[in-house]
Structures are given as C-alpha cells and as structure tokens.
Amino acid sequence: MVGLATAWFLQQRGVDVDVFERRQVAAGSSWGNAGWLTPALTMPLPEPAVLRYGLRAALDPASPVYVPISLEASLWRFLTGFARNCTTRRWRRGMVAYRSVNRQALDAFDELAAGGVEGPTRPADPFLVCFAHDGERTALLEELGELEQLGQKVGYDVLTGPQARERAPILTDHVTAAVQLHDQRFIDPPQYLAALADAVRARGALISEHSRVLGLHDDGHHVFVRCRKAIHRYDAAVIATGAWLPELGYPFGVRVPVQAGRGYSFTVPARHLPEGPIYLPVQRIACTPLGDRLRIAGMMEFRDPDEPLDQRRVQAIVAAARPFLQGVDLDDRRDEWVGSRPCTPDGLPVVGPTSSPRVFAAGGHGMWGIVLGPLTGRLLAEAVVTGTAPYELHAFRPLR
C-alpha cells in the first residue's frame, strides 16, 4: 500500500516512476490484513497496557503478543526500546504526532478514488469493539477520552451485549459489553491493492515484480538501484520495503529499528456475515467481512519476517475467537497467511528524507500501513518534489 500510493501521488505531481517489487503486488502485509481504515484506533503500539501482559504471557505461543526466545541482538534492541516507550507520557507524545495524519487519512483515499482508483472503500457500519465484561471496556473508554483531550474527536456509542448482538447476530452471549465506533471504513485489501496497481500502471509506470532490490548508491547526482540482473539510474528513490527497510536504509543513516511484528489471518464461512468489522481487543482479534467469507486476523509475533507460518498461532486465534462467534465454521479455513508488519520501538512510522537528499524512506507503520498508506504517499510525494518535508512528517523523520 505505502509504495504504490507513493508512486501514484508522485505521478499526480507529474513524476515518472518505476516500482520494484520483491515478490508480487500486495504479497506482504498489505494482502492478509483486516483492511480497516480506522483513524479512531490508529495510535502508537507501545503503551502501558502492553507491559501489563508481562514476560510470561509474551513467551506463551498462545498469547496475543508472542516473543520467541532468541539470541538475536536486533530483536532485543527493539524490545528494549519498545519497553522504554510503554509509558503514558510517551504514548501521549506519539498520539499528538498521529493526530494530524489521522485527520487526513480518509481524505487521501477519497483523492485516490477521484483520481480513478477503482477499489471501493466501504463504510464500517457498524464497527463493533466487543468485550466479555464491562471491566474490559473501561480501558477503551479511557483511551477514547484521552484522544478527545488530545484533540482527536471520535464518535462512539456504548452498547450492552444484547445491543451488540442485535447489530451483529454473529456474536454470542459471551459478549456482554461493546462500543460502536462511527465514521470508520474498511476495504478488501487484495482487491484494493490490485486496483491501485492497475491505476499506477495505467499512468505509465513499470511495476517489476519478483525484482528484489539488493542495494542503492547515491553518487551525488543520481541514485543507482541494483537488482540481481541490472543496475538502474534515477533522480530519486523511495524505500518502501516494510519490515525489510533497514537493509536498504542503513547506509543512508536510517537507524530506527524496524522489527517484523508478524500477524496471521484466514477466512471462514459464516451463516450471517456482519455488516462491518468486529474487534476483540483483549484477544487482539480482528474480523472483517470480505466477499462471502469472514476474514479473521490476529497475533503480534516478533520473529524474522522470512520465517514460515506457525500453525500454533492459527490455532491460538481459533481458540480465542470461538467463544465470541456463532454460525462460523472455524475448521473450514482458507487462505491461511502470515505477514510482517513493520514495527518501530516508538510506534511511529519512518517517513521522509534520509541522509541523502535523493533517497527517502516510507515504512515502519506497524499495524497502520493500510489506513495511513495513501496519506503517506501524498505527503512524501510533496517532500520528493519540493525538497521540503511537510510538518506532519516531522515526528516520523527517518534520522530521529
């Protein structure tokens, strides 16, 4: 999402672009995610509640947040920084940085639509956040109150369990409390990304799939992009490689650790699909109606992005979701998938110019690459063309 959106907005400003894709369009975390366009939930991942899970929960493969025992120095460097940012003060500071981009995020999707991108965005009506009891809901209501104090207004209704089930009969009576968020949207990620790629191609871009970039070199005048079979010369380059961003960004001063926070998903049939997404925040499970099936996504697993799918994580999601959903065949799973969200220790993206005025970074969005991808492209295109990064990108600067 981030790379293609940046390409589209550069084209909008009259720039000719080529896109190098290490696999194929939307093969990474842009493919199997929940597809939520939810500025109301877009906030820094490091927060005090994460630390309350404790080390024991983080080491449990069935836990929503899983950290396998590893001796990799890069992982422990990331986790140390992440823990350091799990304070209320730092969360609030990060939320101030998100506030301005959250206000504009959906407008960027509207601009893509007006410009000919044919992938639809659907109103999330209703968008239900569900809990097993009132006490669990308190944390979300406090968080929404914090957002309002920080200047980001979120419309919502507080619901009882029966009210939630009336809006989404797929829910069981295990749900006794809920919050309905207003003015959110969702997409079908593979469908939307295919439409965005088609729009970029239609404007003349070459999208080279299965073309992994091995290195970049700035000679002071141009940027040379080295692939396996050729070296290409450009006026500028944007690194939008998700969890692999450090590989290409490090030579250009990008020192912010970017760790793969792997998420899992699959689709199942449902007797009555919900009209909009359902979120189980305590279990870290996201449900989205896509076509005639329900996509169920979850887990935050800090491992190498190239590790294979671990069936234990899929089973953990199934076990956690089962008490909350009815009329769903959780054993008829299709499209079992794992993808690597690019997470940073401070929970903020890495977007803007690097130590080279011709090389730019666009990554580190964590769980928010889908909702913030188009706006990232719009803001970064301005930075590339004008040489001046918009104020919204200051907190996300790659050299911080």
Side-chain angles (χ1 to χ4, degrees):
M1 176 66 95
V2 175
L4 287 173
T6 302
W8 192 92
F9 280 101
L10 282 168
Q11 291 173 317
Q12 189 77 343
R13 288 176 168 266
V15 177
D16 294 328
V17 300
D18 289 341
V19 179
F20 294 91
E21 166 58 56
R22 66 190 309 239
R23 287 183 283 177
Q24 61 266 5
V25 168
S29 54
S30 289
W31 188 89
N33 66 87
W36 293 357
L37 311 183
T38 50
L41 297 176
T42 303
M43 55 190 70
L45 292 179
E47 57 174 333
V50 173
L51 290 185
R52 288 198 289 271
Y53 278 111
L55 182 61
R56 180 178 300 177
L59 296 177
D60 180 358
S63 171
V65 180
Y66 176 58
V67 183
I69 296 175
S70 169
L71 297 178
E72 290 186 24
S74 59
L75 174 60
W76 291 107
R77 178 188 172 207
F78 167 81
L79 292 174
T80 300
F82 192 94
R84 192 181 305 122
N85 283 283
C86 287
T87 67
T88 300
R89 182 177 64 84
R90 294 196 179 193
W91 182 87
R92 286 174 177 162
R93 185 173 65 188
M95 197 59 236
V96 169
Y98 271 113
R99 182 179 59 196
S100 61
V101 293
N102 285 346
R103 290 171 178 167
Q104 304 174 58
L106 297 183
D107 293 340
F109 280 90
D110 293 337
E111 187 170 347
L112 289 172
V117 177
E118 296 183 355
T121 65
R122 293 177 54 186
D125 187 19
F127 189 107
L128 298 176
V129 187
C130 300
F131 304 89
H133 56 79
D134 287 348
E136 293 178 343
R137 183 173 58 187
T138 301
L140 175 64
L141 295 178
E142 290 175 350
E143 206 165 63
L144 293 174
E146 285 266 10
L147 293 183
E148 189 166 5
Q149 290 181 18
L150 293 171
Q152 180 174 320
K153 295 190 180 301
V154 179
Y156 64 91
D157 295 324
V158 177
L159 307 179
T160 64
Q163 288 173 326
R165 289 191 291 278
E166 181 181 352
R167 288 161 173 78
I170 196 173
L171 297 172
T172 70
D173 58 9
H174 201 70
V175 175
T176 66
V179 172
Q180 179 176 340
L181 300 176
H182 300 309
D183 303 319
Q184 312 301 298
R185 305 185 201 174
F186 68 102
I187 60 172
D188 182 321
Q191 180 188 74
Y192 192 92
L193 267 292
L196 181 54
D198 287 344
V200 169
R201 288 191 185 99
R203 289 176 158 194
L206 174 66
I207 300 180
S208 300
E209 297 184 304
H210 303 287
S211 296
R212 181 173 181 174
V213 173
L214 302 177
L216 301 175
H217 172 67
D218 179 2
D219 71 350
H221 303 282
H222 298 93
V223 179
F224 293 86
V225 176
R226 179 168 58 89
C227 298
R228 189 166 59 88
K229 294 183 178 179
I231 297 177
H232 309 266
R233 188 182 73 172
Y234 297 96
D235 296 313
V238 175
I239 305 171
T241 52
W244 294 267
L245 190 147
E247 295 178 10
L248 298 178
Y250 192 87
F252 300 96
V254 181
R255 300 292 186 267
V256 179
V258 179
Q259 170 66 41
R262 291 161 30 112
Y264 287 73
S265 73
F266 49 83
T267 66
V268 294
R271 188 185 312 125
H272 299 292
L273 283 172
E275 292 296 320
I278 293 171
Y279 183 30
L280 307 173
V282 175
Q283 293 72 28
R284 297 293 199 272
I285 289 176
C287 304
T288 308
L290 298 183
D292 61 354
R293 292 174 72 86
L294 183 71
R295 173 170 283 179
I296 300 179
M299 188 62 66
M300 177 65 78
E301 177 189 56
F302 293 121
R303 297 181 72 176
D304 185 275
D306 293 313
E307 289 285 333
L309 180 146
D310 189 333
Q311 190 62 224
R312 292 177 301 172
R313 312 293 173 262
V314 173
Q315 295 301 324
I317 295 171
V318 169
R322 196 179 295 278
F324 293 89
L325 304 176
Q326 60 185 345
V328 174
D329 187 350
L330 290 168
D331 297 320
D332 182 9
R333 295 186 299 277
R334 299 180 190 169
D335 303 318
E336 289 187 350
W337 170 92
V338 61
S340 296
R341 313 176 188 97
C343 300
T344 61
D346 58 8
L348 301 180
V350 180
V351 183
T354 66
S355 60
S356 163
R358 284 163 290 277
V359 177
F360 300 79
H365 292 77
M367 297 170 62
W368 317 125
I370 289 293
V371 62
L372 294 182
L375 180 61
T376 294
R378 188 170 78 185
L379 296 173
L380 193 59
E382 180 180 341
V384 172
V385 171
T386 67
T388 301
Y391 77 92
E392 293 95 334
L393 296 183
H394 177 75
F396 306 153
R397 59 194 184 282
L399 303 184
R400 65 181 184 273

